[in-house]
Each structure stands twice: as structure tokens, then as C-alpha cells.
Amino acid sequence: MAEAARRTGQISRKTNETSVAVTVDLDGSGASTISTGVGFFDHMLDQLSRHSLIDMEINAEGDRHVDDHHTVEDTGIAIGQAIAKALGDRRGITRYASIDLAMDETMTRAAVDVSGRPFLVWNVAFSAPKIGSFDTELVREFFQALAQNAGITLHIQNIYGANNHHIAETCFKAVARVLRQATEIDPRQAGRVPSTKGTLA
């Protein structure tokens, strides 16, 4: 029997504010090559790739003389579009997943429906405006862009935590783990779209 085709997606996005190129492989091993010019963000994207087992190549250049906002948001858009492209008609996927993810003193919950319907529920608060030089409000902006462009319903809730680095990192790791589970092929689906509508497009 022939080996199933790998589910890959590639997106190049160029605006007056940013130039972003992203390649993803949903059937990878969590290998990544990431360069956005935003050190903390690169660290978070590495966690996203590693714990989702989605291989990612990400190269972003943005108007960082203004701030990091456009670079982070447009990278989220491109990753989301690449994931949507790799998913295709979403045939055979598990579709749903949730996790409570612990890291030291922090617990964050994430749940996803890879439904084709974009929505973000964000219940995360940071106690400081920055982690190093990174604006904490950009964590939400990234996940908003990712959910909208991947066509997923994504809920993220920080249940408790004191360290803002840990809070941000558990968001990325929890989302990574639910993406890993929900996008995996369910052998019992036998190639069906997991919806009574017959479509997740």
C-alpha cells in the first residue's frame, strides 16, 4: 500500500510592514528553523513546533523600528494559513482536543476544534506589560491571528500562575499539544470528514 502523502503547507506573505515565509509539515517531528528578529517570540515558536510535532520553517522581517506588533501578528497569519493549507479538507483528522498543561507554578488550559470556523476565547492575564522587551499583549495577538487564519476554534485559559514567562510559555505549549492531537489522523475515521455536515471547509 502506498504511503500517505505528507500534509504540508507553504505561505509567503509580503506587505509594506512585513515579509513572512512559512512552511509547515503536520506529519513532522517538531523540527524547526525560526528567525523573526524577536528573541522571545522565536523561543515561543520553537516550543509551538517542538510540542506539536509540526515541522516549521519561519522567516520573518518586519518594521521592528516601530515595534514587534506587525511581525508577531503577520507571522501568526502566515502560520495559520500554512496550517489550513496543509489540512486541506481536514479529512480523517481527530478534530477535537484539550489539555491542562502544568509548568512549575503555572497551569494553562487549551482546547481546540479544528472546525473550519475561526474563533478565539482568551482568558489569560499578565501582571506586567513586558517579558524582557516583548510586549505581553502580543501573545493574544498571535493566537488571534493563528486561529482566524487556520480556521480553528481555540480556547485558552490560564488557571493560575505567577511568572509571566511561564504563563506565556504554557499558552504556546498547551496550544501545541492540542494541535498535535486534533490534527492527527484518526485511523477509525477511515478518510471521512469528521462532521455530520460532511465538510469542515
Side-chain angles (χ1 to χ4, degrees):
M1 191 167 75
E3 184 179 349
R6 295 180 76 89
R7 297 172 298 159
T8 62
Q10 185 171 3
I11 294 292
S12 293
R13 187 176 191 275
K14 189 172 180 63
T15 71
N16 290 334
E17 298 166 339
T18 63
S19 176
V20 184
V22 170
T23 300
V24 301
D25 181 350
L26 300 184
D27 303 307
S29 61
S32 66
T33 303
I34 297 166
S35 177
T36 68
V38 184
F40 180 77
F41 187 44
D42 285 357
H43 175 47
M44 293 298 101
L45 293 176
D46 179 60
Q47 301 298 327
L48 184 67
S49 173
R50 184 180 305 270
H51 293 283
S52 66
L53 298 184
I54 299 173
D55 290 351
M56 295 185 182
E57 293 182 17
I58 301 168
N59 194 308
E61 297 179 2
D63 54 356
R64 295 191 53 238
H65 62 284
V66 177
D67 63 11
D68 296 336
H69 183 108
H70 297 138
T71 301
V72 171
E73 181 178 36
D74 288 9
T75 299
I77 290 170
I79 294 172
Q81 290 175 347
I83 289 173
K85 189 173 183 179
L87 284 167
D89 65 3
R90 309 180 185 218
R91 189 173 303 275
I93 63 169
T94 302
R95 179 175 171 178
Y96 297 100
S98 64
I99 192 172
D100 287 348
L101 189 135
M103 179 180 178
D104 297 344
E105 86 296 344
T106 303
M107 176 81 78
T108 295
R109 174 175 296 149
V112 70
D113 176 10
V114 183
S115 59
R117 296 190 303 277
F119 203 89
L120 175 69
V121 174
W122 178 256
N123 191 357
V124 179
F126 293 97
S127 62
K130 288 185 179 290
I131 302 169
S133 62
F134 186 82
D135 293 330
T136 50
E137 68 179 10
L138 294 182
V139 180
R140 183 193 185 281
E141 295 303 316
F142 171 78
F143 286 115
Q144 175 70 24
L146 178 73
Q148 287 292 318
N149 289 275
I152 61 176
T153 294
L154 181 61
H155 292 232
I156 307 171
Q157 178 184 13
N158 175 240
I159 300 171
Y160 46 79
N163 182 288
N164 287 303
H165 186 127
H166 293 168
I167 292 170
E169 189 163 341
T170 54
C171 290
F172 278 86
K173 287 180 173 177
V175 170
R177 294 292 297 194
V178 295
L179 280 176
R180 172 181 171 180
Q181 184 177 343
T183 60
E184 283 182 343
I185 298 298
D186 180 354
R188 296 179 64 192
Q189 287 285 2
R192 296 176 301 180
V193 174
S195 170
T196 54
K197 295 182 178 68
T199 179
L200 289 174

